[in-house]
Amino acid sequence: MGCDAAGVARAVRAAAELVTAHRDELVRLDQAIGDADHGENLKRGFGFVLAALDQSTPDTPGAVLKLVATTLISKVGGAAGPLYGTAFLRAATAVGAASELTPDLVSVALQAALDGVVARGKAEVGDKTMVDALTPAVEAARGSTVAEVLTAAAAAAEAGAESTIPLTARKGRASYLGERSAGHLDPGARSTSLMLRAFAEAAS
Ligand code: ADP
Ligand code: MG
């Protein structure tokens, strides 16, 4: 993809479509250890994101990311809405006014997104949250093209999401279940890996 505003908008659309296509799966995952709303929360939120992108075409990658952030923060309830909103907002700030994303900027944006999620949610690796997908993604996010960076990040996020299965949740609603949360994939870790996969495919 071009990594200008239009390219980033296409990647965001791809993420919206992939998350929406996995709505039922995310609902089922959240049914097992939460309140069954994660898939619907994200489907609704990304529906508003698509509508906002139809309305206006932001002129920098950062402005696209900021539009995603403000939409998710204002439209998505639950824990994940504000957490993803913060992630996109920090990523937007990290890329600043650049007219094109470079591999380094993508790495920096992913790190900023993770830092935002951790600042807001206070989860650590091993707490069975989206942080378990995003942290390895940030660590793996290297490459000589944006596509390479995102492909490495997506693969690491998928492995990180799978790693949540045996864990006992220590943050969020799933933590109310205590040890009964073990044996299930964390829905937020799954949605994080889906978004990164969509970004990687859009970039390739
Ligand atoms: P809610 O838990 O309010 O119903 P969602 O179902 O939309 O919100 O999102 C649940 C996901 O949010 C979890 O699977 C987990 O990945 C993530 N999450 C919850 N609390 C935290 C936290 N403190 N830090 C990071 N991620 C969290
Ligand atoms: Mg939920």
Side-chain angles (χ1 to χ4, degrees):
M1 78 174 172
C3 291
D4 59 358
V8 174
R10 273 196 299 279
V12 167
R13 284 180 182 283
E17 277 157 23
L18 193 62
V19 165
T20 301
H22 286 261
R23 180 230 176 244
D24 292 356
E25 179 198 342
L26 294 170
V27 164
R28 275 198 306 279
L29 294 174
D30 198 27
Q31 209 159 33
I33 59 169
D35 57 355
D37 64 351
H38 191 60
E40 185 58 30
N41 284 347
L42 291 186
K43 182 185 170 187
R44 248 188 93 245
F46 276 103
F48 285 113
V49 167
L50 290 174
L53 287 174
D54 286 341
Q55 287 291 311
S56 70
T57 320
D59 58 2
T60 59
V64 173
L65 296 171
K66 189 164 179 194
L67 181 64
V68 176
T70 54
T71 305
L72 293 180
I73 289 168
S74 64
K75 301 290 190 189
V76 185
L83 289 167
Y84 279 134
T86 302
F88 279 98
L89 197 56
R90 294 287 189 100
T93 304
V95 305
S99 58
E100 295 243 353
L101 296 186
T102 60
D104 280 353
L105 270 178
V106 172
S107 302
V108 166
L110 286 171
Q111 177 74 60
L114 171 62
D115 291 347
V117 170
V118 170
R120 182 146 195 150
K122 310 275 185 281
E124 293 171 10
V125 169
D127 285 349
K128 196 177 181 96
T129 71
M130 58 177 75
V131 169
D132 291 324
L134 199 47
T135 300
V138 167
E139 285 164 2
R142 308 263 177 283
S144 55
T145 64
V146 168
E148 272 177 33
V149 171
L150 288 171
T151 300
E158 275 151 20
E162 293 295 318
S163 81
T164 66
I165 294 174
L167 298 175
T168 295
R170 285 193 294 251
K171 282 283 183 295
R173 245 174 231 290
S175 67
Y176 307 159
L177 290 183
E179 287 176 4
R180 279 182 294 138
S181 63
H184 302 279
L185 181 62
D186 177 65
R190 176 66 176 141
S191 58
T192 292
S193 78
L194 287 169
M195 283 182 220
L196 286 169
R197 177 56 61 194
F199 293 158
E201 279 173 9
S204 297

